[in-house]
Amino acid sequence: MSEHLRVLVADDDPLIRMALSEVLEAEADLHVVAIAEDAEQAADLAAVHTPDVAVLDVRMPCGGGTRAAREIRIRSPRTQLLAFSAYDDSGAAEELKRLGVREYLIKGITNKEIVAAVRRAGAAVRA
Amino acid sequence: MRPEDGYRLLVHSVSDYGIFMLDPTGHILSWNIGAERIKGYREEEILGQHFSVFYPAEDIAAGVPERMLRQAIDDGHLEAEGWRVRKDGTRFWANIVITALFDGTGKLRGFGKVTRDMTERRAAEEALRESEERFRLLVHGVLDYGIFMLDPSGRIISWNDGAERIKGYREDEIIGQHFSVFYPPEDIAADKPGRELTQAVADGRLEDEGWRVRKDGTRFWANVVITALFDETGELRGFGKVTRDMTEHRAAEQALIERRRLLNHLVEAQELERRRIAWDVHDDSIQAMVAVGMRLQLLADRVPDENQPLVLQLEDSVRTSVARLRNLVVHLRPTAIDQHGLIAALDGYLRDVVAGWELETSLSADLASEPPLPVAITIFRICQEALTNVRKHARATRVDVTLHSKDSGTLVRISDDGVGFPDPVPENPYQQFGLLEMRERAETAGGWWAATTSETGSTVQFWLPSVSIVDEEPT
């Protein structure tokens, strides 16, 4: 087991993808192993890389965060899931919780909060 | 008591009829209570006087009393009506019967005379005749309604000025014609006139709206009421027909429907466009700003210490901009309304936007079902406008929003505890516009809108049906 937390980032917005990756990569203990542009890619890359944590956009092509979460649970069961959304969508939040998503992060929270959430999820994998 | 005495007593005491005897020359021989009541003479005053004393001077001069006696002798009997004179000189309208009385040998013994005061009945008849005449004149002169009569077979037997104005026929042209001349050929082919009469007979009355034809062949949109007229024995005597030209009314109605349809389309187009812009801002602009914010935070850790405050300040501005853009999105189109319905959207709006205006808010909803999306959006928009009004004008500290299902629709109330809004506000056309816009939106959706205001607060109330009336109108 690596000492880094291995993270998958999935978002259809290239600016968010890039910013989120940079934020995570800036932390010594985090490593972004895969970047996906939609739900299908996220599931495929998760199956290949079996990351510790996947940060999933809620609204993205090919089924959104819910499809990505459902498939990753099957194809990489040990990956911990986080949702990252542009709006406070309590309906989607409920469904994502049922699919095993640990935390629901609203875009606009500070980098520190994002990093902390990823570390909490990672701790659950290592536990 | 002998029978003769009995008759005398009976006749004497009858008070509704003056019954008395005349000798062969016309002098009064007997008198009764009725005669005294009607004519005003006591028995002792009148016995022996000639009966012509009851006649007006002009009748006496014309020899009417003598002529009457002669005719009674010739025919044995005479009945007449005419003016008579009381003792006090006043006149009354009398019905009289004079019977010549002959003995067994055929000799004239005198006359029996029965008089009845018909003044009241005559007055009543006169009043009735006058009233009928006035009514006839009224009906004849009415211009806004064609009012005329049909005989039982449907032929026209009377006509008024309104009918002439509406249909273009003069009275002398149309009397005697069948009323089917007013119907378009397609209705005649379908025997509509005949069916309408049959139905009027069956139901007593029939109301119809449809095209009718004027004398010049042009059509007009008519409202028609046909009433079957039966006499006291139940026999059909004909029909009363009242026709109104509704062409202008109908045109105005259609114009209103058309206007509402256009407004509805306008509102729909506006909503669609707002929604598109809202999603664009939401999915694109906000995401980009969020990404910029995240990278500014990274940058702050990497720049020399003296520049760090500047970058953090910049990052803070970006955060504020994101918050503003989110408000803009909610204002443009509460994305929640598409996904979670009206109540969630209103709740979000009160929490995220209205609470920021330092207003305490409450929302209570009791809806049997979620209104259709277009109705929900209209409700949301009117609430938004009403709440904006509260913010701008009411100086309120709290506002309560309630929604109930009522009469197949939704009743919404927005109450505040502010100072009320003056009405009307000529110096503030924007406020006026806001009220007008709310009302117009509600009415366009087929509902109603009302505002009440006092020094202790204002309430805006409106109701919208769950089905849009505009969509139901045939095109």
Side-chain angles (χ1 to χ4, degrees):
Chain A
M1 192 177 286
S2 136
E3 63 241 58
H4 287 105
L5 273 180
R6 301 169 63 254
V7 185
L8 177 145
V9 167
D11 201 303
D12 62 332
D13 189 308
L15 292 176
I16 293 281
R17 280 201 302 274
M18 208 194 306
L20 188 55
S21 304
E22 272 185 49
V23 165
L24 297 176
E25 282 288 352
E27 302 297 320
D29 57 333
L30 306 181
H31 178 47
V32 176
V33 293
I35 299 176
E37 298 180 12
D38 58 43
E40 204 174 299
Q41 249 185 34
D44 290 346
L45 290 172
V48 172
H49 297 279
T50 60
D52 298 314
V53 180
V55 182
L56 307 171
D57 186 16
V58 174
R59 265 164 52 91
M60 59 182 167
C62 306
T66 49
R67 180 180 168 202
R70 201 177 293 123
E71 293 202 8
I72 293 171
R73 266 184 72 185
I74 298 165
R75 296 170 70 182
S76 176
R78 60 177 290 278
T79 300
Q80 298 295 305
L81 305 173
L82 295 176
F84 195 43
S85 172
Y87 50 92
D88 179 8
D89 187 340
S90 51
E94 287 302 310
E95 195 179 353
L96 287 166
K97 281 218 173 94
R98 272 202 307 280
L99 291 170
V101 170
R102 299 176 52 90
E103 284 188 55
Y104 195 93
L105 313 175
I106 306 289
K107 286 177 185 169
I109 63 171
T110 61
N111 294 352
K112 284 191 176 69
E113 289 170 296
I114 299 171
V115 169
V118 172
R119 283 189 182 128
R120 277 194 298 276
V125 182
R126 304 266 158 109
Chain B
M1 188 167 67
R2 291 177 303 161
E4 298 84 40
D5 296 333
Y7 289 136
R8 191 173 301 120
L9 260 174
L10 174 67
V11 166
H12 189 79
S13 59
V14 165
S15 68
D16 287 338
Y17 293 84
I19 305 175
F20 51 97
M21 299 271 296
L22 306 176
D23 70 10
T25 61
H27 291 86
I28 294 155
L29 289 175
S30 75
W31 200 238
N32 79 337
I33 288 174
E36 178 172 335
R37 194 184 63 79
I38 293 169
K39 311 208 187 220
Y41 295 96
R42 291 197 313 280
E43 186 168 3
E44 64 269 23
E45 289 174 328
I46 198 70
L47 288 185
Q49 289 210 52
H50 193 264
F51 85 107
S52 60
V53 71
F54 306 134
Y55 285 75
E58 64 271 20
D59 283 357
I60 297 171
V64 171
E66 289 77 16
R67 219 169 34 245
M68 288 199 148
L69 292 187
R70 204 157 41 245
Q71 200 180 330
I73 293 166
D74 291 347
D75 301 342
H77 168 94
L78 166 106
E79 181 167 356
E81 284 201 2
W83 291 111
R84 295 296 183 273
V85 183
R86 296 195 188 89
K87 182 189 169 190
D88 64 6
T90 59
R91 292 186 175 203
F92 68 99
W93 187 260
N95 171 285
I96 59 149
V97 176
I98 301 176
T99 310
L101 305 169
F102 300 96
D103 64 14
T105 67
K107 185 178 176 207
L108 178 71
R109 298 301 299 271
F111 303 90
K113 192 166 179 231
V114 178
T115 301
R116 194 172 179 194
D117 184 350
M118 305 294 280
T119 313
E120 276 178 26
R121 204 170 97 178
R122 183 180 155 86
E125 278 171 4
E126 195 74 5
L128 180 66
R129 199 162 35 243
E130 266 177 36
S131 139
E132 277 176 353
E133 177 64 9
R134 273 198 302 271
F135 187 67
R136 198 188 62 76
L137 284 171
L138 171 73
V139 166
H140 196 81
V142 165
L143 279 178
D144 291 331
Y145 293 83
I147 304 175
F148 51 98
M149 304 261 303
L150 308 176
D151 71 11
S153 72
R155 291 191 185 283
I156 293 148
I157 55 177
S158 79
W159 198 239
N160 80 336
D161 290 348
E164 176 168 338
R165 191 183 69 84
I166 294 171
K167 313 213 186 216
Y169 294 94
R170 288 193 321 273
E171 184 166 2
D172 58 316
E173 292 172 327
I174 198 70
I175 295 283
Q177 290 209 52
H178 195 265
F179 82 112
S180 57
V181 297
F182 307 134
Y183 287 73
E186 64 272 20
D187 284 350
I188 294 173
D191 191 31
K192 187 171 175 183
R195 280 189 287 116
E196 289 196 339
L197 291 191
T198 308
Q199 202 185 328
V201 170
D203 301 340
R205 177 180 184 283
L206 167 121
E207 183 164 358
D208 177 42
E209 275 202 10
W211 291 112
R212 296 294 184 274
V213 182
R214 295 195 190 88
K215 182 187 169 190
D216 63 8
T218 57
R219 290 186 178 204
F220 66 100
W221 187 259
N223 171 282
V224 175
V225 176
I226 300 179
T227 311
L229 304 171
F230 300 97
D231 66 16
E232 60 273 19
T233 69
E235 193 184 336
L236 179 69
R237 299 302 298 266
F239 301 90
K241 193 161 182 241
V242 179
T243 302
R244 193 167 184 198
D245 183 349
M246 306 292 280
T247 312
E248 280 176 25
H249 182 90
R250 182 177 153 89
E253 213 173 61
Q254 301 247 329
L256 184 69
I257 290 170
E258 187 56 26
R259 193 175 114 81
R260 284 193 166 162
R261 202 197 308 282
L262 284 173
L263 247 170
N264 212 38
H265 285 174
L266 190 71
V267 166
E268 261 174 36
Q270 190 187 39
E271 288 295 342
L272 219 68
E273 185 64 5
R274 281 178 165 187
R275 186 182 161 159
R276 196 186 61 72
I277 295 170
W279 281 118
D280 277 357
V281 170
H282 186 271
D283 288 353
D284 198 87
S285 313
I286 290 180
Q287 305 257 22
M289 301 283 280
V290 164
V292 168
M294 288 165 76
R295 301 184 76 181
L296 279 171
Q297 288 174 57
L298 282 176
L299 188 62
D301 289 340
R302 292 171 188 171
V303 293
D305 285 355
E306 68 266 27
N307 290 338
Q308 204 175 39
L310 192 68
V311 177
L312 287 176
Q313 211 173 42
L314 205 56
E315 197 271 330
D316 194 52
S317 305
V318 171
R319 188 178 298 277
T320 307
S321 304
V322 167
R324 285 189 189 169
L325 284 176
R326 286 212 163 110
N327 273 348
L328 173 70
V329 168
V330 171
H331 189 79
L332 277 173
R333 171 77 172 200
T335 49
I337 207 166
D338 295 310
Q339 292 162 340
H340 307 299
L342 174 63
I343 304 304
L346 276 174
D347 194 42
Y349 189 75
L350 289 174
R351 215 180 39 228
D352 300 341
V353 180
V354 180
W357 302 340
E358 291 176 351
L359 275 169
E360 243 183 274
T361 63
S362 81
L363 173 69
S364 100
D366 174 19
L367 295 184
S369 62
E370 172 76 12
L373 191 57
V375 178
I377 287 168
T378 307
I379 290 175
F380 186 87
R381 289 294 179 213
I382 297 175
C383 286
Q384 227 176 355
E385 185 67 45
L387 290 165
T388 304
N389 265 347
V390 171
R391 177 201 190 183
K392 285 187 185 158
H393 308 290
R395 283 183 269 146
T397 62
R398 69 169 293 121
V399 58
D400 302 299
V401 180
T402 63
L403 296 94
H404 302 283
S405 291
K406 188 172 184 250
D407 302 334
S408 310
T410 310
L411 180 67
V412 184
R413 238 186 234 117
I414 298 134
S415 308
D416 68 61
D417 64 351
V419 293
F421 48 85
D423 182 36
V425 200
E427 74 276 13
N428 189 345
Y430 292 103
Q431 183 179 347
Q432 272 289 73
F433 182 70
L435 299 182
L436 283 177
E437 200 186 50
M438 282 191 272
R439 178 191 295 267
E440 186 130 68
R441 283 195 93 125
E443 289 176 358
T444 300
W448 54 260
W449 179 96
T452 51
T453 183
S454 75
E455 287 155 10
T456 58
S458 308
T459 299
V460 161
Q461 258 192 102
F462 62 96
W463 175 86
L464 298 183
S466 284
V467 184
S468 163
I469 51 152
V470 177
D471 294 342
E472 284 192 333
E473 286 296 330
T475 38

